[in-house]
Amino acid sequence: STRLGVPECDPSDKPPCRGCSSYLMEPYIKCAECGPPPFFLCLQCFTRGFEYKKHQSDHTYEIMTSDFPVLDPSWTAQEEMALLEAVMDCGFGNWQDVANQMCTKSKEECEKHYMKHFINNPLFASTLLNLKQAEEAKTADTAIPFHSTDDPPRPTFDSLLSRDMAGYMPARADFIEEFDNYAEWDLRDIDFVEDDSDILHALKMAVVDIYHSRLKERQRRKKIIRDHGLINLRKFQLMERRYPKEVQDLYETMRRFARIVGPVEHDKFIESHALEFELRREIKRLQEYRTAGITNFCSARTYDHLKKTREEERLKRTMLSEVLQYIQDSSACQQWLRRQADMNCELLRSAPPLNLTGLPGTEKLNEKEKELCQMVRLVPGAYLEYKSALLNECNKQGGLRLAQARALIKIDVNKTRKIYDFLIREGYITKA
């Protein structure tokens, strides 16, 4: 059974469609038997008979729409909301722009209706005042609301920060290259004409439906990025470094599940795990004090100091005994040197190669440059800037020394040496 329902607020503020996670556009369906929370479906998922947990396709439902009059018989609720949005966008008094944005009413109709019902209507003044007072009373003693992300930075086009943000344009809330960026190409040659057969018409409709689902996926990904504050990657990485190493590993592992839960729930999970880690470490420390017979924190501070001193002395004695043993035995000395070399190699191998997938600037590198960035663990954008700086300096000086390269590039000297040697070997620059 069906009956008309009134949306309680803007569809973008509601939970998304339970079937495809897209924004709900009117008209859409609300299950009359499931909830709370309310169970919403878009028309496409409803026509497919989508079922989820207790929700069945034969449940009674409501059609949520704004196609009914509210203040004036000739104005629907949807047009009322469109008028208010147009006035907010174009400004009070710009009635021609308001009419152009609405497309369904003339300039005179917009001005007359707005002045009559929203400016000179005494009922609205008292109602809005009561609503404002009720809202202030409701939020007076509650906590400060959580904001998942701040306003992102606005870097200049093609700067390093712009590449780090994957070409995000804050003023438009869009990327220079969207996910599935060439989805529109499948529609460029489609044209609906009267001579189409039923099969051809159905095929074209299927292509349009596929394109619509790809737009939904693009919108879903952008919503995840916005809600979790992933645009400003540097700020996101600084937040990760606040946690201990073990919690950082969990943060990295659980990042792929952040799209399933909301940003608040995800942050609560990480924070609770960090607190659990700190509590376990503190309990282990207290258990160690109890085992050593310590009963007060003053003695515990002395115990920590003595324990650190004993460990340092033990390490010195172990190193001295090994050195003395290897000096007396030449074969043992060679084995010790080889073992130290293996340890150094193991340390170098412990850092895995950098994964360049999805990093801005990767497409501008050749295969050898990609291999260098992977082994040196250098993002392509930074490498291209360092390469450009070294090439410019080499052209000015007629050659370049390693010391000059290190003065230009303020990073780890070993990385600078590898970049310098690579550019020399490939013929990009010459030695002075």
Side-chain angles (χ1 to χ4, degrees):
S1 64
T2 63
R3 59 189 178 89
L4 294 181
V6 183
E8 299 173 0
C9 58
D10 187 74
S12 62
D13 296 330
K14 285 184 172 295
C17 171
R18 296 299 294 270
C20 58
S21 300
S22 64
Y23 284 128
L24 293 167
M25 303 299 293
E26 294 183 7
Y28 56 95
I29 305 300
K30 175 185 177 183
C31 180
E33 300 182 22
C34 299
F39 193 94
F40 295 125
L41 287 175
C42 66
L43 292 182
Q44 287 185 331
C45 294
F46 176 72
T47 54
R48 291 201 305 266
F50 176 80
E51 295 182 346
Y52 179 75
K53 293 185 177 179
K54 296 181 180 181
H55 175 72
Q56 301 296 321
S57 58
D58 59 351
H59 281 183
T60 57
Y61 59 91
E62 302 174 14
I63 301 176
M64 310 300 287
T65 179
S66 301
D67 190 17
F68 53 87
V70 179
L71 304 174
D72 191 306
S74 61
W75 283 70
T76 64
Q78 192 169 5
E79 289 176 328
E80 299 282 2
M81 292 187 291
L83 174 64
L84 295 177
E85 291 177 0
V87 172
M88 290 180 62
D89 293 341
C90 304
F92 177 78
N94 298 323
W95 301 114
Q96 186 60 57
D97 295 337
V98 170
N100 293 340
Q101 181 168 323
M102 286 195 60
C103 300
T104 58
K105 299 293 181 180
S106 66
K107 168 186 174 183
E108 291 75 14
E109 289 174 329
C110 293
E111 180 179 4
K112 181 180 178 181
H113 183 83
Y114 191 86
M115 296 300 296
K116 176 181 177 181
H117 294 284
F118 295 101
I119 299 297
N120 300 323
N121 190 341
L123 176 62
F124 269 90
S126 60
T127 304
L128 293 175
L129 180 60
N130 293 336
L131 289 175
K132 182 178 180 181
Q133 292 174 348
E135 184 67 20
E136 291 176 351
K138 184 176 68 172
T139 59
D141 300 327
T142 57
I144 299 174
F146 176 83
H147 298 285
S148 57
T149 177
D150 298 329
D151 187 36
R154 301 172 183 267
T156 58
F157 177 73
D158 204 28
S159 63
L160 178 59
L161 181 56
S162 176
R163 292 194 292 271
D164 288 343
M165 294 171 62
Y168 183 74
M169 299 175 289
R172 297 177 55 185
D174 283 329
F175 292 90
I176 295 178
E177 290 192 10
E178 296 282 358
F179 169 76
D180 201 0
N181 197 45
Y182 298 100
E184 288 76 12
W185 282 25
D186 295 336
L187 299 178
R188 57 183 176 177
D189 297 327
I190 291 183
D191 187 17
F192 290 89
V193 295
E194 295 181 357
D195 297 338
D196 287 344
S197 63
D198 293 342
I199 296 178
L200 183 58
H201 181 79
L203 179 61
K204 291 180 178 180
M205 291 299 299
V207 173
V208 173
D209 287 341
I210 293 172
Y211 171 70
H212 183 64
S213 65
R214 294 165 78 178
L215 289 184
K216 285 184 176 181
E217 177 63 16
R218 183 186 293 175
Q219 189 180 50
R220 185 185 71 87
R221 289 173 178 255
K222 289 170 67 174
K223 184 177 185 300
I224 292 173
I225 292 173
R226 183 184 68 249
D227 290 348
H228 288 269
L230 301 180
I231 292 297
N232 195 346
L233 281 180
R234 294 183 181 179
K235 181 178 179 180
F236 194 71
Q237 292 167 352
L238 289 175
M239 292 176 62
E240 285 188 14
R241 292 171 189 157
R242 298 180 306 167
Y243 300 114
K245 180 64 168 64
E246 293 79 2
V247 181
Q248 289 183 21
D249 294 339
L250 176 77
Y251 209 114
E252 180 68 26
T253 304
M254 295 303 297
R255 184 180 298 166
R256 65 198 69 182
F257 299 105
R259 60 183 178 178
I260 300 176
V261 298
V264 180
E265 289 78 8
H266 182 69
D267 288 345
K268 283 182 178 178
F269 174 79
I270 299 297
E271 289 289 345
S272 61
H273 186 81
L275 178 60
E276 178 190 2
F277 174 79
E278 294 294 337
L279 291 175
R280 288 181 179 274
R281 185 165 60 179
E282 182 67 15
I283 291 172
K284 184 177 180 181
R285 187 169 69 93
L286 295 175
Q287 288 175 341
E288 181 182 355
Y289 292 155
R290 179 62 60 86
T291 305
I294 296 174
T295 58
N296 56 69
F297 287 106
C298 181
S299 302
R301 286 192 294 270
T302 305
Y303 171 80
D304 289 337
H305 176 71
L306 293 176
K307 178 183 177 181
K308 182 178 179 181
T309 305
R310 285 195 301 268
E311 289 177 351
E312 291 176 351
E313 291 296 330
R314 186 183 301 113
L315 180 62
K316 291 179 182 178
R317 287 195 302 269
T318 303
M319 293 179 61
L320 180 60
S321 61
E322 287 184 354
V323 170
L324 292 176
Q325 177 186 351
Y326 297 142
I327 288 176
Q328 296 172 0
D329 187 349
S330 59
S331 61
C333 182
Q334 294 297 327
Q335 293 178 0
W336 183 79
L337 291 174
R338 282 196 296 271
R339 189 163 70 246
Q340 295 298 320
D342 292 340
M343 290 174 60
N344 292 334
C345 292
E346 185 65 28
L347 288 174
L348 292 174
R349 288 196 299 268
S350 61
L354 179 65
N355 184 9
L356 301 182
T357 304
L359 294 180
T362 305
E363 70 282 354
K364 299 179 182 179
L365 306 181
N366 57 37
E367 293 302 323
K368 291 184 178 180
E369 289 177 324
K370 290 180 181 178
E371 183 179 353
L372 173 69
C373 290
Q374 288 174 337
M375 299 310 297
V376 180
R377 295 186 60 80
L378 190 66
V379 295
Y383 165 76
L384 292 172
E385 287 192 359
Y386 299 153
K387 175 184 174 183
S388 176
L390 294 178
L391 289 176
N392 291 336
E393 188 66 19
C394 180
N395 293 334
K396 290 179 183 178
Q397 304 293 337
L400 194 66
R401 292 182 290 108
L402 178 59
Q404 293 173 315
R406 286 175 174 168
L408 286 173
I409 303 178
K410 303 298 183 181
I411 58 174
D412 179 61
V413 292
N414 294 321
K415 290 186 178 182
T416 305
R417 176 60 182 266
K418 291 178 181 178
I419 297 173
Y420 177 80
D421 291 343
F422 173 80
L423 296 177
I424 291 290
R425 187 169 60 252
E426 295 299 319
Y428 290 107
I429 61 176
T430 57
K431 289 185 178 181

